Amino acid sequence: MNDCLFCKIVAKEIPAEIVYETGRTLAFRDTNPQAPTHVLVITKGHYANAAALADADDGLADDVLKAAHAVAVKEQVAEGGYRVVFNTGPAAGQTVFHVHAHVLGGRALTWPPG
Ligand code: 5GP
Ligand code: ZN
């Protein structure tokens, strides 16, 4: 996926502030943070969104959720509470079509989201 922004971050062609990394996942700060902690957890391989990741059916979705929780612990928001969001498809506001979990925390989060 030569033209994918997040593949370029994986390839270190575009810089990012990496906060956590595993063999198959990478977590870095969102450049337009919506909360004091706003980290994106991505798969190193390219999947368009959470639907494609779910279809991968090889434990990779588990890895992403575990990485999201590890980020929350590392960012010290796990105890107080945090939110994990996958915007999936245009109607949900997905703008980057490489699967990413938003990990949000550090403030009271309203419900329902907009
Ligand atoms: P989406 O709208 O697809 O759910 O989320 C995409 C997210 O990627 C947005 O929150 C946006 O701020 C973030 N983003 C877009 N471009 C970049 C970038 O170049 N670097 C980083 N770290 N985040 C980005
Ligand atoms: Zn990609």
Side-chain angles (χ1 to χ4, degrees), residues 32-101:
N32 184 23
Q34 302 302 310
T37 289
H38 188 173
V39 172
L40 303 175
V41 179
I42 70 170
T43 55
K44 289 183 176 174
H46 183 91
Y47 296 86
N49 55 33
L53 175 60
D55 280 345
D57 197 25
D58 67 348
L60 187 54
D62 290 19
D63 287 3
V64 171
L65 182 57
K66 287 175 190 296
H69 180 60
V71 166
V73 170
K74 201 169 179 191
E75 292 283 305
Q76 299 184 305
V77 297
E79 211 168 303
Y82 64 97
R83 187 169 291 165
V84 179
V85 176
F86 290 93
N87 292 326
T88 306
Q94 185 179 3
T95 58
V96 177
F97 290 86
H98 179 134
V99 66
H100 49 283

